[in-house]
Amino acid sequence: MKYHNKPYTFVELVELKVMNLEESLTFYQEVVGFKVLEKQDNKALLTADGKTALLSLEQRTDFEPKTQKTTGLYHFALLLPTRADLGAVLKHFIEINIRVGAGDHLVSEALYLNDPDGNGIEIYSDRPDTDWKWNGEHVAMDTLQIDAQSILAEGASTKWEGLPAGTVMGHIHLHVADLQTAEKFYNALGLEVVTPYPGALFMATGKYHHHIGMNTWAGVGAPAAAENIVGLEAFTLVYPSNEVLNTAIENLKSIDAPVTEENGIYIAKDPSQNKIKLIVK
């Protein structure tokens, strides 16, 4: 997966706050196909390959459901290795009678569903990047109807056995309060705009179609959720080198964006209070 190798910056671990850990674990294992990497009383790390944590789930006694439109998670997106894998997932959803949304985005084909707390999930496969259409610095994206029969046919000989080991966190899509200030912040982190979209913006490194999406569909000026509301706790951006990370940190300081350090991990919050952990692996 070339977008998850140097010299690119990419999203890896997404951390969620949930109301009921056991209910969420059942969903994420039996419906989505994750494996449990580590589990404590109130927290679990989930993986596709048995080594890399892609999702963290945490339950606390003071958590409350989300009841209003706020900034935070729109969806996190799991990138499958092949279109045949996407076909196997779609067949699995049909067999267990899970209703899903879907979209052909020209650069990718995607399925959408929500977890028990309403957190959005995208599961997708990319079209070859040689088929992507660029107009200068912008890649063409759209939301069209998928060819479900073609996807199912592609996966006909692929048995669903959970998420394939090659699954990665392809991107994260956020609700933000203002696109202009969000763009300035994520530009400081080292991402570039690759697709403007009505009420949304898609940014990436390494000419990917997007590592971070953002929209104002919860309302321009939407408030941040309180700390005890379920949903996004944080997500991790992995940088290819300390040099690239240090540049990002200096860029954040230059726009007066606060950065703190905890146990060797830099932590920043975007203008909509979405928390990002900045690391090098």
Side-chain angles (χ1 to χ4, degrees):
M1 208 64 63
K2 75 176 191 176
Y3 297 106
H4 280 62
N5 292 321
K6 295 180 180 181
Y8 304 123
T9 300
F10 58 89
V11 179
E12 189 170 80
L13 178 66
V14 171
E15 301 174 45
L16 299 180
K17 297 173 281 190
V18 300
M19 289 297 294
N20 185 312
L21 181 60
E22 293 306 323
E23 182 183 5
S24 291
L25 279 174
T26 298
F27 171 84
Y28 277 108
Q29 290 176 93
E30 295 181 4
V31 177
V32 179
F34 274 111
K35 302 175 184 73
V36 175
L37 183 63
E38 292 178 24
K39 186 174 184 294
Q40 301 162 5
D41 287 345
N42 68 327
K43 190 172 182 178
L45 291 176
L46 303 183
T47 181
D49 65 4
K51 298 177 289 186
T52 306
L54 297 181
L55 194 68
S56 166
L57 305 174
E58 183 180 12
Q59 174 189 341
R60 290 207 313 259
T61 54
D62 64 331
F63 283 169
E64 296 180 8
K66 186 174 177 179
T67 58
Q68 66 181 91
K69 290 186 174 181
T70 65
T71 59
L73 184 71
Y74 181 57
H75 63 240
F76 65 85
L78 300 167
L79 173 58
L80 302 174
T82 68
R83 191 172 189 250
D85 293 317
L86 187 66
V89 169
L90 180 55
K91 183 169 181 268
H92 162 65
F93 287 158
I94 292 169
E95 287 173 348
I96 63 173
N97 199 27
I98 293 287
R99 292 181 63 85
V100 297
D104 182 336
H105 301 305
L106 304 181
V107 292
S108 63
E109 295 168 291
L111 306 173
Y112 295 94
L113 67 163
N114 290 330
D115 78 0
D117 291 294
N119 296 305
I121 305 161
E122 175 181 347
I123 301 176
Y124 74 111
S125 63
D126 279 334
R127 287 201 168 93
D129 58 4
T130 49
D131 294 344
W132 302 355
K133 304 289 189 248
W134 289 85
N135 181 14
E137 297 299 306
H138 294 163
V139 67
M141 289 176 64
D142 205 335
T143 300
L144 307 173
Q145 187 171 331
I146 64 165
D147 186 341
Q149 294 307 315
S150 172
I151 293 170
L152 286 169
E154 187 109 9
S157 60
T158 302
K159 185 181 178 184
W160 187 85
E161 296 178 319
L163 291 170
T167 302
V168 296
M169 189 65 70
H171 63 267
I172 191 167
H173 193 147
L174 304 166
H175 286 297
V176 298
D178 178 79
L179 288 177
Q180 192 171 8
T181 55
E183 178 184 351
K184 183 179 179 182
F185 175 87
Y186 286 103
N187 189 242
L189 282 181
L191 292 99
E192 299 172 345
V193 174
V194 283
T195 307
Y197 201 78
L201 206 55
F202 298 94
M203 301 182 72
T205 64
K207 293 295 183 186
Y208 190 48
H209 56 69
H210 65 298
H211 289 109
I212 295 180
M214 56 200 77
N215 69 65
T216 53
W217 301 333
V220 174
E227 281 291 321
N228 67 329
I229 300 299
V230 298
L232 182 66
E233 168 63 23
F235 67 93
T236 298
L237 268 182
V238 179
Y239 283 81
S241 68
N242 284 307
E243 183 183 5
V244 180
L245 171 58
N246 291 335
T247 298
I249 291 166
E250 290 306 313
N251 288 343
L252 289 178
K253 291 176 179 176
S254 74
I255 61 170
D256 297 321
V259 183
T260 58
E261 187 180 354
E262 295 178 20
N263 303 318
I265 295 174
Y266 290 97
I267 297 175
K269 285 188 176 180
D270 74 10
S272 300
Q273 301 304 298
N274 296 306
K275 186 192 295 185
I276 307 112
K277 297 180 179 179
L278 313 173
I279 68 169
V280 175
K281 290 186 77 171

